[in-house]
Each structure stands twice: as structure tokens, then as C-alpha cells.
Amino acid sequence: YFYSLGTEKGNANAQTKLASLYLEGGEGIEKNPKKAIELLEKACQQGNGSAQNDLGACLKEADGVDQDL
């Protein structure tokens, strides 16, 4: 709930934390890698280093993104 509020206000840390929950699922949040990618991209645009690392890992593993061969 708190991460959702922070995300709505554009808080990069909240976006990153909520993205982690969407990647793993849990705490009442259904796994949704595509939503996680959207949040990580928003946090990356604000310069959040954790989001940049997490997004890089998602792209490497093709988690939540279409694999481009």
C-alpha cells in the first residue's frame, strides 16, 4: 500500500520496491514482470541506481520483456 502511494507520487525508491514485488510476487501482489519493467524504467529515468541494476538483470534474463534474438 505504501509503495503504491509513493509510486503514484513519482518516488523512485517506491517504484523500485514495488517493481521488486511485481517481479517476485508476494505480499498480496500478483507476479507481473511487465508492470515491474514499467516501474523500473520510471525509476531509472530519475537516476535510481537500484532500479538500473534491477532493470539490467531483467533485460539480461528477458524477464518481463520480449527476447530480441
Side-chain angles (χ1 to χ4, degrees):
Y1 173 75
F2 293 106
Y3 294 139
S4 295
L5 288 177
T7 296
E8 290 173 10
K9 294 182 184 261
N11 182 288
N13 289 329
Q15 291 166 339
T16 303
K17 294 288 187 181
L18 188 56
S20 295
L21 292 174
Y22 277 123
L23 285 172
E24 301 296 324
E27 294 191 40
I29 295 179
E30 188 174 326
K31 187 174 180 177
N32 187 339
K34 290 195 182 287
K35 181 67 177 172
I37 294 294
E38 290 174 20
L39 291 170
L40 289 172
E41 287 175 340
K42 288 179 182 180
C44 284
Q45 290 173 353
Q46 296 177 67
N48 185 287
S50 294
Q52 293 168 354
N53 184 62
D54 292 350
L55 181 59
C58 288
L59 295 173
K60 179 180 177 192
E61 300 298 322
D63 190 10
V65 296
D66 294 328
Q67 197 168 27
D68 184 7
L69 301 174

